[in-house]
Amino acid sequence: MSVPTASEDGRQTGPAVPAATATPKAKMSKRQKAKLSRGIQYAILVVIAVLVAVFADWPTLIDSFGRIDIATGMFPDVITMALKNTVVYTFLGFALGLVIALFVALMRLSSVGVYRWLATIYIEFFRGLPALVVFLVLGFGMPVAFPGFNLPQLIIIMIALGLVSSAYMAETIRAGIQAVPKGQIEAARSLGMSSSRAMFTIVLPQAMRIILPPLTNELILLAKDSSLAYILGSSVDGRELAALGRAEIVNTANLTPFIVIALCYLIITIPLSYLSRVLERKYGSADSGVK
Amino acid sequence: MTTTSHASTKTPIIAIRNLQKSFGTNQVLTDINLDVVKGEVVCVIGPSGSGKSTMLRCINTLETPTGGSIVVDGMDMTDLDLDIDAARTRIGMVFQSFNLFAHLTVRENLTIAQTKVLRRSKAEANKVAEANLAKVGLSEKMEAKPGSLSGGQQQRVAIARALSMDPDVMLFDEPTSALDPETVGDVLQVMRNLAEAGMTMVVVTHEMEFARQVADRVVFMDGGVVVEAGPAKDVIGNPQEQRTKDFLSRVLHPGQLG
């Protein structure tokens, strides 16, 4: 078979080639082209994988990142203490952040100008600051500035994570509230509900459906941000994943603990992102029934 | 259409005096005067942008008037000391876009303001809700979510929701304008029954046939003023003002030029 020439000629000088030999592969259809392009992409991926496998220094790699004995040595502390602390810090920070965010979002939508300005300043300020700076200021700056400022570590972490997350969540909640049709408030007010009752019984429950998926994403971000707690230094049983990982790396002079704590973060975040997708499917496309 | 004469003898349940409303520099209502007596059905017609919806929304102060006064049932709606939430419970309102609470069932839509605002017991609120849902012919939809109902059904539920507060007055803001043509009739029938039962109604509408048959009085608005008002057979059947004639010829004979 003269397939190559046929296809080559088909491209260049189509009409010159006898129809009988040219038709099957004379000119590639769109679908064939897409198939070929995908094949090339797969081939590139395989080549990269093979190159990595061949050229990587496996003994050194395993020795640095994959020491089973070091990994097993981290148990059960990594779960019972570090993972637990990460989860506790995350949820405490999230709970505080959510409360602050709700207040700030309501202020942002207030008819009182001063509230709106304060809320805007708050949001811009904390959204613009790196989480690290917030931790440093709360952990080291405040005790210096105010000698009496001596909060328990857990509270400082909770406040820091709460402040960092609240700015983002406030914007999410504001957008959710604004996505609820204005007619819902008008109907509630026309039935004699006060504006705050209309907000809490009619608007917020509907806004929740809209903001639940993005809030779950914020929870994931917060779980990762909680790793910054390590810079505060902490008592041994207050260590979360990142702090434990660092301590273990110093102790063992090996990088395996990084892999272990990375997996632990995934244990937290993957179910959350699954939850986020479920919520999005459940509420995201739900027919609001309005109009 | 039979009860037009008592307008002058009884004290009005709605009294609008020199009502003005502007949005920024845009004056929407210049000087509205309108009385509605108890049991009267007043239909407000007019071209879009004439201010008729704004006038209606001023009655329960969903829009705050910029001038003039509105007295409903003896309550001065523009008085800042008035408990506006309590006042609104006596003024039912039906919207063009229904505005049923999307996250609640029909039953909850009908009872939530009864229990939370009027402080009725759950049992009593449910009884009232059932009676009013039966009135609009949708008893079987008690546990449905608004999203599963047709537009006409949603609007009938919205009427039942407003009625469940036992209002003295009902305001309708273009109640059939967002409906599919085949569901308009059911909603109008419910409103007709309501009028026959003696409810005081102010209806902003484009349904000329409904206005002709049901309204005691028709008010034609244009450019933020009441141009012409009177019995339906006069205003629609034999308009005096040129603007009314122009408008009616446009809506009654659409497609014809001039």
Side-chain angles (χ1 to χ4, degrees), chain A residues 52-131:
Chain A
V52 168
V54 170
F55 288 103
D57 185 354
W58 286 109
T60 316
L61 263 183
I62 290 172
D63 199 41
S64 314
F65 287 105
R67 290 265 301 277
I68 303 293
D69 55 322
I70 292 178
T72 51
M74 291 171 71
F75 288 87
D77 274 4
V78 68
I79 300 292
T80 57
M81 178 185 76
L83 184 74
K84 187 202 81 186
N85 280 336
T86 292
V87 169
V88 167
Y89 295 163
T90 303
F91 277 97
L92 284 179
F94 186 75
L96 179 68
L98 197 57
V99 172
I100 299 175
L102 186 58
F103 271 104
V104 174
L106 291 175
M107 280 170 70
R108 185 96 154 70
L109 294 169
S110 164
S111 53
V112 182
V114 179
Y115 288 164
R116 282 201 306 274
W117 300 332
L118 285 175
T120 308
I121 291 168
Y122 179 92
I123 290 168
E124 294 304 331
F125 186 76
F126 282 105
R127 211 162 48 165
L129 280 187

Side-chain angles (χ1 to χ4, degrees), chain B residues 157-198:
Chain B
V157 171
I159 294 173
R161 177 176 68 179
L163 289 176
S164 294
M165 303 297 281
D166 294 326
D168 301 323
V169 185
M170 285 283 284
L171 310 177
F172 293 83
D173 188 3
E174 302 197 22
T176 56
S177 296
L179 296 179
D180 294 331
E182 72 266 25
T183 64
V184 168
D186 293 337
V187 173
L188 290 182
Q189 188 54 49
V190 166
M191 291 167 64
R192 211 175 293 244
N193 297 344
L194 208 52
E196 274 162 22

Side-chain angles (χ1 to χ4, degrees), chain A:
Chain A
M1 274 218 9
S2 56
V3 172
T5 51
S7 66
E8 224 180 272
D9 289 348
R11 253 166 221 269
Q12 305 298 331
T13 58
V17 177
T21 55
T23 34
K25 291 207 170 175
K27 202 163 188 185
M28 286 172 72
S29 69
K30 259 193 174 158
R31 196 182 296 181
Q32 284 170 318
K33 275 186 195 164
K35 226 174 183 176
L36 179 69
S37 139
R38 209 173 310 141
I40 292 172
Q41 289 169 29
Y42 289 149
I44 291 174
L45 286 178
V46 169
V47 168
I48 290 173
V50 168
L51 286 178
V52 168
V54 170
F55 288 103
D57 185 354
W58 286 109
T60 316
L61 263 183
I62 290 172
D63 199 41
S64 314
F65 287 105
R67 290 265 301 277
I68 303 293
D69 55 322
I70 292 178
T72 51
M74 291 171 71
F75 288 87
D77 274 4
V78 68
I79 300 292
T80 57
M81 178 185 76
L83 184 74
K84 187 202 81 186
N85 280 336
T86 292
V87 169
V88 167
Y89 295 163
T90 303
F91 277 97
L92 284 179
F94 186 75
L96 179 68
L98 197 57
V99 172
I100 299 175
L102 186 58
F103 271 104
V104 174
L106 291 175
M107 280 170 70
R108 185 96 154 70
L109 294 169
S110 164
S111 53
V112 182
V114 179
Y115 288 164
R116 282 201 306 274
W117 300 332
L118 285 175
T120 308
I121 291 168
Y122 179 92
I123 290 168
E124 294 304 331
F125 186 76
F126 282 105
R127 211 162 48 165
L129 280 187
L132 180 68
V133 173
V134 176
F135 271 94
L136 287 175
V137 168
L138 277 176
F140 303 113
M142 295 299 271
V144 175
F146 306 97
F149 189 92
N150 197 12
L151 295 174
Q153 189 110 34
L154 181 69
I155 302 296
I156 291 181
I157 293 169
M158 174 171 147
I159 293 175
L161 289 175
L163 290 178
V164 168
S165 61
S166 64
Y168 288 95
M169 290 197 283
E171 282 295 86
T172 307
I173 293 173
R174 177 192 58 78
I177 289 173
Q178 283 182 323
V180 176
K182 209 165 169 259
Q184 296 282 307
I185 300 181
E186 290 185 346
R189 296 305 306 271
S190 79
L191 290 167
M193 292 191 197
S194 65
S195 64
S196 58
R197 190 192 292 283
M199 177 59 72
F200 283 98
T201 59
I202 303 300
V203 178
L204 277 178
Q206 294 183 59
M208 266 304 157
R209 300 164 168 230
I210 302 165
I211 64 189
L212 224 43
L215 281 191
T216 321
N217 278 333
E218 184 56 37
L219 192 55
I220 293 171
L221 291 177
L222 205 58
K224 295 187 287 177
D225 275 349
S226 73
S227 62
L228 288 169
Y230 86 84
I231 61 165
L232 299 179
S234 61
S235 57
V236 170
D237 55 354
R239 282 177 182 159
E240 41 65 65
L241 287 169
L244 181 85
R246 273 174 64 93
E248 287 292 315
I249 285 163
V250 173
N251 286 346
T252 60
N254 187 277
L255 295 174
T256 306
F258 265 161
I259 300 294
V260 176
I261 67 161
L263 291 175
C264 286
Y265 275 112
L266 291 178
I267 290 174
I268 300 173
T269 55
I270 287 176
L272 283 178
S273 61
Y274 177 74
L275 175 71
S276 162
R277 276 202 303 278
V278 169
L279 290 174
E280 205 158 340
R281 260 207 306 279
K282 194 166 170 202
Y283 295 129
S285 61
D287 177 19
S288 66
V290 182
K291 256 206 163 171

